[in-house]
Amino acid sequence: MFRLSKDIDSAFQGVGTKGGLEVWCIFNNQLISIPKSSFGRFHSGNAYLLLSTALRKIGSPQYDIHYWLGHDATEVDSVLASDKALELDAALGCCTVQYREVQGQETEKFLSYFKPCIIPLEGKYSPQNGLAEETYPVTLLMCKGDHAVRVKEVPFLRSSLNHDDVFVLDTASKVFLFAGCNSSTQEKAKALEVVEYIKDNKHAGRCQVATIEDGKFLGDADAGEFWTFFGGYAPIPKCSSSTNQEQTPTTCAKLLWIDTRGNLHPTETSSLNKDMLGKDKCYMLDCDSEVFVWMGRNTSLTERKTSISSSEEFLRKEGRSTSTSLVLLTEGLENARFRSFFDEWPQTAESSLYNEGREKVAAMFKRKGYDVEEFSDEEDEPLYTNCRDALKVWRVDGCDVSLLSIHDKAKLFSGDCYIVQYKYTYNERNEYLLYVWIGCESMEEDRADAISNASAIVSSTKGESVMCHIHQGNEPARFYSMFQSLVVFKGGLSKRYKTTFLVENANEGESKASLFRVQGTSSRSMQAIQVDLAATSLNSSYCYILQNEASVFTWIGKLTSESDHDVLDRMLYFLDPSRQPMSTREGSEPDTFWDLLGGKTEYPKEKEMRKQIEEPHLFTCSCNSDVLKAKEVYNFVQDDLTTEDVLLLDCQTEVYVWIGLNSNIKSKQQALTLGLKFLEMDILEEGLLPVRSPVYIVTEGHEPPFFTRFFDWVPEKANMHGNSFERKLARLKGKEPVTKRSSGSPWRSDSKENASRGSRSRSNGSERGVSSCSSEKFPSYSQGRESNSDSTPLVKKLFSESLSVDTNNGSTSSNSDISKENPLGGIKVDLSLESLAYSYEQLRVDSPEPVTNIDATRREAYLTEKEFEERFEMTKPKFYALPKWKQNKLKMSLRLF
């Protein structure tokens, strides 16, 4: 919430109401707002202030404040920038995280706002002629970084070059890239983005581009021209670049209390815990290479300014490097790095705002005449339609892996492990999704065998299948929707399970009563999970089936909905259509019901609250000596998926391990090990990612739609040959990229040909449902591989069973609706809505005079083109080209959703 007082600059009036960046420059001791066209152009003689606003799906926006100090900025401007950052924090309700950024030592989070880079300009900014043109100077730039690149101008001398880094020589007519022989492919690829940025922004796209390889000179005209700028070719000394040496992580941290006069007082303990931090005090956590200033909720703006000044003065007196990070945190907004230095940090209580917000919106629509019971999230919708010919299930029993019949494949046992394969059509070809389902009571040996056999099947497909490791009780919605109806029984059928539990099974009584919890969203996704036969297994949020040989009870919890009751009836019929149940509602159970459960006891009666899902996080990862190192990639885009790397996408409810084709990870089993280690580490220190979360293993070029939905996905980028440098060089020089296979857009039908094939699409460019069957027949994937000497007999057997297509009935046509061809690239948009225009005030969900008889899920479509662009700051075509989740975030920020 915005707060303005006499201590806060009036320039902050109305800030933070829209997503994106806002930038100010300190000019004549005042804040000057920087236009969006000049974002990323920082003058070394100035200090700047930057606000990043991220609009979350539910709850308050997330704010990050950065103040950037040029190396020629005056001390007065630097101090003023620090003070203004605190004033901006106060204006936003003291709910921001603040970072000090020093030119040349910027955090990767700061650099991620400006794709591909920032190139600081010499001199001072002036509102009148801050971007004035001058005689084009020749400049030499050094580029460092493989995801967030740091660009630094170095002296235009041969001695500035080295073998370890990548350099860009910018001349009036040509831009050269010089790659040191020890530089990585990723660094060279990132430097190419800098070259493209310079070409487009400084040369208006009218200049030549040349790449020079270190040590290769003969027969290369571009190399000869490059060296003439340095007075001719001469060998570069074989000395390593010494700048930006990687610092070892700090294991010891010192906590100091800052009094109101700015004096620092060390604490008297070596171990840290949260209780040491007082709400009415400020503290400095000194971790050598990084320093945190923690400010209690009850501290004043003056106290906070004093604590920041004291911390900066401390760094100067200590002679700390300019690369020392300084992060300012308000109580309640501590980041993962800060929390990691404390022995104990209690988990934040989960907010119920997500559920409360959904209920309030549903109630609002009911009052306005809409028959709405509950709004379902897009993430809850089934991602696949049921197609039993496309689903195969194997039960793992030691070395034996048996294919289950159609009747049995919808019945799993908690004491067993299963391999589940789902075939679907995507981008005009068959794709395979392979699940390893781990029963909660299964044996460790069976779990290892299941993973090993699944990995062998994937290897036989040359790694093209997506593999997923899931534990019972943590299944994603798309797993359930593949089965349509699924029953999970207690007990097991494997030899190891029976041997282990032989005594317990032998001592079981004659009672054959069983209790099933019924769950699901519709007839296309419903499950019956057998639970312990006890009253404590009941929950008011669910319906249950209790049965023995003599009778069947259905129990309806008081917090369940009509759709839950419908699923209950359907599941009862699925289990045994011949039996007539006795229906009982919570609170009116007969004694017989409680007798079957062993007596009446307490059970959960509060509504189960759904966890609020935040934005996903992307990490690069490497594993040396069994130690996993993960580094976050901020504001990630598809180009951050570099083919030489392995990356982890943390979505809080599931994890994706993405394997680049040129990475050093060559098997899905290796990748799964990385994913499981990542779950154990809890990188974000939030406790939101359960250790038993699903782990997907995705190979470059075979990304499923439920992975690509987190990116603005361009299929052609994912299907190119060569390393990341070669791919970007081909695109930069205007060559047609060589692709591994042709593919259409993952979200859209781009042609009438696609539409005629019945390809499924969703409106607004957010394709989530993929038809499970195709109208085309595909040859068996096992053809041409049967002679593979590396395949075991078991794999050959499974492979031939699983990846062959029945030519008689193995394909069916999809009857999905197809959007008409339009300028939005096949996005299904009802253009007739443009003729029904209403004002923004009428279309808001909280409007006192609401519009009726409209599509309440697409209020924005009724805005005029002019008002739409004013509110969303983009055209309708650009808006509908965004991923669905981004559209919803923008609509919610404007009260249109």
Side-chain angles (χ1 to χ4, degrees):
M1 180 180 292
F2 180 82
R3 302 173 184 175
L4 197 63
S5 71
K6 62 180 181 180
D7 296 326
I8 299 175
D9 199 304
S10 60
F12 298 140
Q13 178 73 46
V15 298
T17 57
K18 298 179 181 179
L21 297 179
E22 295 174 76
V23 183
W24 298 267
C25 177
I26 304 294
F27 180 76
N28 289 341
N29 295 327
Q30 292 182 335
L31 287 178
I32 302 295
S33 180
I34 301 296
K36 186 176 293 186
S37 59
S38 298
F39 283 5
R41 296 176 180 175
F42 296 92
H43 287 74
S44 61
N46 293 94
Y48 291 79
L49 187 64
L50 180 147
L51 171 65
S52 170
T53 303
L55 301 176
R56 297 189 286 188
K57 187 171 184 179
I58 295 293
S60 302
Q62 178 179 320
Y63 299 112
D64 288 300
I65 296 174
H66 304 256
Y67 59 99
W68 185 90
L69 309 178
H71 57 62
D72 294 328
T74 65
E75 185 176 348
V76 172
D77 285 353
S78 299
V79 172
L80 186 57
S82 173
D83 289 346
K84 292 300 179 183
L86 283 171
E87 290 180 25
L88 178 55
D89 172 62
L92 295 169
C94 298
C95 59
T96 73
V97 177
Q98 302 160 60
Y99 304 84
R100 183 187 68 164
E101 308 288 350
V102 179
Q103 180 178 343
Q105 306 294 337
E106 297 88 352
T107 62
E108 294 201 357
K109 188 166 194 173
F110 179 83
L111 294 173
S112 70
Y113 300 133
F114 309 99
K115 303 288 186 179
C117 65
I118 62 171
I119 303 177
L121 305 173
E122 292 298 319
K124 283 183 172 289
Y125 171 81
S126 171
Q128 288 76 29
N129 58 1
L131 303 176
E133 295 291 334
E134 300 176 359
T135 304
Y136 200 89
V138 177
T139 56
L140 182 64
L141 305 171
M142 180 171 66
C143 303
K144 282 181 174 288
D146 49 9
H147 284 279
V149 60
R150 289 182 173 83
V151 179
K152 176 184 178 182
E153 184 174 351
V154 294
F156 179 34
L157 300 169
R158 184 191 293 110
S159 58
S160 296
L161 302 175
N162 62 61
H163 298 290
D164 298 329
D165 297 311
V166 184
F167 295 84
V168 174
L169 179 64
D170 181 17
T171 71
S173 60
K174 184 179 285 190
V175 181
F176 298 87
L177 182 144
F178 175 85
C181 57
N182 297 328
S183 61
S184 68
T185 302
Q186 297 97 310
E187 287 179 312
K188 291 189 287 186
K190 207 65 184 177
L192 270 180
E193 294 183 15
V194 177
V195 170
E196 184 175 17
Y197 174 82
I198 293 173
K199 176 183 177 182
D200 294 340
N201 290 275
K202 298 182 70 174
H203 297 270
R206 296 187 295 270
C207 73
Q208 294 180 303
V209 172
T211 57
I212 312 299
E213 291 188 50
D214 186 7
K216 295 186 179 180
F217 179 74
L218 295 176
D220 190 336
D222 287 332
E225 184 179 356
F226 171 81
W227 287 111
T228 58
F229 284 96
F230 296 94
Y233 174 78
I236 299 174
K238 294 184 178 181
C239 59
S240 177
S241 172
S242 59
T243 59
N244 263 359
Q245 293 294 328
E246 185 175 341
Q247 296 174 331
T248 57
T250 303
T251 57
C252 179
K254 293 173 287 187
L255 184 67
L256 301 96
W257 165 53
I258 308 173
D259 64 25
T260 55
R261 295 184 178 181
N263 299 316
L264 302 178
H265 305 275
T267 57
E268 300 295 332
T269 179
S270 57
S271 61
L272 304 178
N273 62 73
K274 187 179 183 299
D275 294 336
M276 299 172 62
L277 303 175
K279 293 179 178 292
D280 57 349
K281 295 181 180 179
C282 294
Y283 297 83
M284 186 183 77
L285 184 67
D286 181 12
C287 309
D288 292 338
S289 61
E290 52 191 341
V291 172
F292 299 90
V293 177
W294 184 92
M295 300 168 288
R297 279 284 178 188
N298 298 338
T299 55
S300 67
L301 180 59
T302 302
E303 288 176 308
R304 297 182 180 200
K305 288 183 177 181
T306 301
S307 65
I308 303 304
S309 299
S310 299
S311 300
E312 293 180 335
E313 181 63 24
F314 170 81
L315 294 179
R316 282 192 290 270
K317 288 183 177 179
E318 290 280 315
R320 298 289 178 88
S321 167
T322 56
S323 64
T324 302
S325 168
L326 179 61
V327 181
L328 318 179
L329 301 167
T330 302
E331 180 183 358
L333 298 170
E334 301 84 0
N335 59 23
R337 181 63 176 163
F338 179 83
R339 294 194 302 267
S340 68
F341 291 103
F342 290 76
D343 295 335
E344 293 183 5
W345 194 277
Q347 299 297 336
T348 304
E350 187 174 304
S351 172
S352 61
L353 284 174
Y354 179 81
N355 298 276
E356 293 174 359
R358 287 163 54 90
E359 292 170 356
K360 289 179 180 178
V361 173
M364 184 188 306
F365 273 84
K366 279 185 178 181
R367 290 195 301 270
K368 295 179 180 180
Y370 295 97
D371 184 17
V372 179
E373 281 203 8
E374 182 180 353
F375 288 103
S376 60
D377 288 341
E378 185 180 355
E379 287 80 358
D380 295 336
E381 297 176 7
L383 297 177
Y384 302 103
T385 55
N386 182 64
C387 181
R388 293 192 179 277
D389 289 338
L391 182 68
K392 295 182 183 293
V393 182
W394 293 269
R395 184 173 62 248
V396 177
D397 189 0
C399 296
D400 299 326
V401 181
S402 54
L403 179 66
L404 302 186
S405 65
I406 293 178
H407 179 264
D408 290 335
K409 67 183 180 182
K411 300 176 181 178
L412 308 181
F413 288 84
S414 61
D416 294 330
C417 296
Y418 296 83
I419 298 174
V420 180
Q421 180 197 272
Y422 188 80
K423 179 186 71 177
Y424 62 97
T425 301
Y426 181 48
N427 286 339
E428 302 180 4
R429 63 173 290 170
N430 279 359
E431 298 284 3
Y432 295 90
L433 180 56
L434 203 69
Y435 284 97
V436 180
W437 187 85
I438 306 296
C440 61
E441 298 176 329
S442 59
M443 301 294 100
E444 287 295 335
E445 296 88 345
D446 285 341
R447 297 180 182 189
D449 287 339
I451 294 172
S452 178
N453 285 315
S455 299
I457 295 175
V458 171
S459 297
S460 298
T461 65
K462 295 185 177 179
E464 294 173 351
S465 298
V466 174
M467 179 176 163
C468 181
H469 178 271
I470 56 176
H471 286 270
Q472 179 184 348
N474 291 277
E475 298 89 346
R478 66 184 66 90
F479 176 82
Y480 287 139
S481 65
M482 296 187 311
F483 288 89
Q484 187 168 353
S485 300
L486 177 66
V487 183
V488 180
F489 296 94
K490 294 180 72 65
L493 302 178
S494 74
K495 298 184 184 70
R496 289 175 178 139
Y497 180 88
K498 290 180 178 179
T499 301
T500 303
F501 291 95
L502 180 62
V503 177
E504 288 84 348
N505 293 337
N507 292 336
E508 283 184 358
E510 293 300 320
S511 173
K512 293 186 178 180
S514 54
L515 179 65
F516 292 87
R517 183 182 69 243
V518 178
Q519 60 190 39
T521 55
S522 68
S523 60
R524 292 190 174 187
S525 178
M526 56 185 189
Q527 307 86 43
I529 313 296
Q530 187 174 358
V531 295
D532 292 336
L533 189 64
T536 53
S537 298
L538 299 176
N539 188 306
S540 298
S541 298
Y542 293 99
C543 296
Y544 291 80
I545 297 174
L546 175 62
Q547 64 180 12
N548 64 5
E549 293 180 341
S551 58
V552 177
F553 289 93
T554 58
W555 186 85
I556 300 174
K558 64 182 179 182
L559 299 177
T560 56
S561 64
E562 288 298 327
S563 62
D564 294 328
H565 306 163
D566 180 64
V567 169
L568 174 64
D569 293 338
R570 292 176 181 274
M571 182 53 71
L572 185 66
Y573 183 83
F574 177 76
L575 286 172
D576 191 346
S578 65
R579 304 186 70 175
Q580 293 297 319
M582 290 180 284
S583 180
T584 179
R585 289 184 174 271
E586 182 178 3
S588 60
E589 303 87 351
D591 293 339
T592 310
F593 177 85
W594 295 117
D595 291 340
L596 287 174
L597 293 178
K600 185 176 181 179
T601 57
E602 289 297 318
Y603 57 85
K605 297 181 181 179
E606 299 297 325
K607 185 172 183 179
E608 285 199 344
M609 305 304 285
R610 296 187 44 178
K611 182 168 67 175
Q612 177 181 334
I613 303 301
E614 302 292 346
E615 299 297 328
H617 297 264
L618 184 69
F619 298 86
T620 60
C621 68
S622 60
C623 193
N624 297 319
S625 303
D626 295 329
V627 177
L628 178 64
K629 294 183 179 180
K631 181 180 179 182
E632 184 164 4
V633 179
Y634 299 98
N635 297 303
F636 61 84
V637 294
Q638 184 183 354
D639 283 342
D640 287 312
L641 300 175
T642 46
T643 184
E644 294 81 15
D645 291 326
V646 175
L647 293 105
L648 283 147
L649 185 66
D650 175 3
C651 303
Q652 294 189 24
T653 57
E654 55 194 14
V655 168
Y656 296 86
V657 182
W658 182 88
I659 310 172
L661 291 178
N662 293 311
S663 70
N664 56 5
I665 299 293
K666 300 304 179 185
S667 75
K668 295 286 176 84
Q669 199 158 353
Q670 279 182 283
L672 177 59
T673 301
L674 288 180
L676 296 177
K677 284 185 177 180
F678 181 83
L679 291 177
E680 294 174 0
M681 290 176 63
D682 189 17
I683 297 292
L684 296 177
E685 298 279 343
E686 293 175 343
L688 299 177
L689 189 64
V691 177
R692 295 195 168 189
S693 297
V695 178
Y696 287 88
I697 313 300
V698 178
T699 304
E700 181 185 5
H702 292 271
E703 296 85 354
F706 48 86
F707 173 82
T708 59
R709 67 191 170 104
F710 295 108
F711 303 82
D712 293 327
W713 196 258
V714 179
E716 289 74 19
K717 289 184 178 181
N719 297 296
M720 295 179 65
H721 280 304
N723 60 38
S724 55
F725 176 73
E726 293 166 342
R727 297 178 187 185
K728 290 183 179 179
L729 184 61
R731 293 204 303 265
L732 180 60
K733 292 195 172 183
K735 296 180 180 178
E736 189 69 24
V738 180
T739 59
K740 297 189 282 287
R741 59 182 174 89
S742 63
S743 64
S745 168
W747 307 126
R748 307 165 191 148
S749 301
D750 287 329
S751 65
K752 292 181 179 178
E753 180 184 1
N754 286 343
S756 66
R757 288 192 175 113
S759 58
R760 180 172 176 169
S761 67
R762 294 179 62 90
S763 64
N764 300 339
S766 184
E767 165 76 316
R768 300 286 300 281
V770 178
S771 173
S772 57
C773 301
S774 171
S775 60
E776 299 183 17
K777 291 184 173 65
F778 286 80
S780 169
Y781 267 57
S782 60
Q783 291 177 4
R785 291 188 179 135
E786 294 180 356
S787 61
N788 187 350
S789 59
D790 295 333
S791 299
T792 64
L794 172 62
V795 172
K796 288 181 179 179
K797 178 182 177 183
L798 294 178
F799 192 55
S800 61
E801 287 177 348
S802 62
L803 300 181
S804 60
V805 177
D806 187 342
T807 56
N808 295 321
N809 55 17
S811 62
T812 60
S813 61
S814 171
N815 58 1
S816 303
D817 293 334
I818 305 301
S819 62
K820 62 183 179 181
E821 187 176 14
N822 61 67
L824 303 184
I827 303 171
K828 188 176 180 180
V829 177
D830 188 356
L831 300 178
S832 65
L833 296 180
E834 296 177 2
S835 62
L836 302 174
Y838 297 98
S839 70
Y840 168 71
E841 296 301 329
Q842 290 176 294
L843 292 169
R844 288 168 57 114
V845 294
D846 56 354
S847 173
E849 299 179 359
V851 181
T852 57
N853 299 322
I854 63 171
D855 184 350
T857 65
R858 299 181 54 217
R859 293 174 175 271
E860 78 288 349
Y862 298 93
L863 291 170
T864 63
E865 291 288 346
K866 181 180 179 182
E867 190 164 14
F868 186 97
E869 292 182 19
E870 288 177 353
R871 298 290 177 179
F872 286 89
E873 297 185 340
M874 67 181 73
T875 62
K876 284 186 178 181
K878 286 186 178 180
F879 173 79
Y880 288 119
L882 296 173
K884 186 70 173 179
W885 63 275
K886 284 190 176 181
Q887 294 179 31
N888 290 341
K889 285 178 65 174
L890 289 172
K891 289 196 291 184
M892 282 187 287
S893 69
L894 295 171
R895 301 288 185 182
L896 292 174
F897 185 77

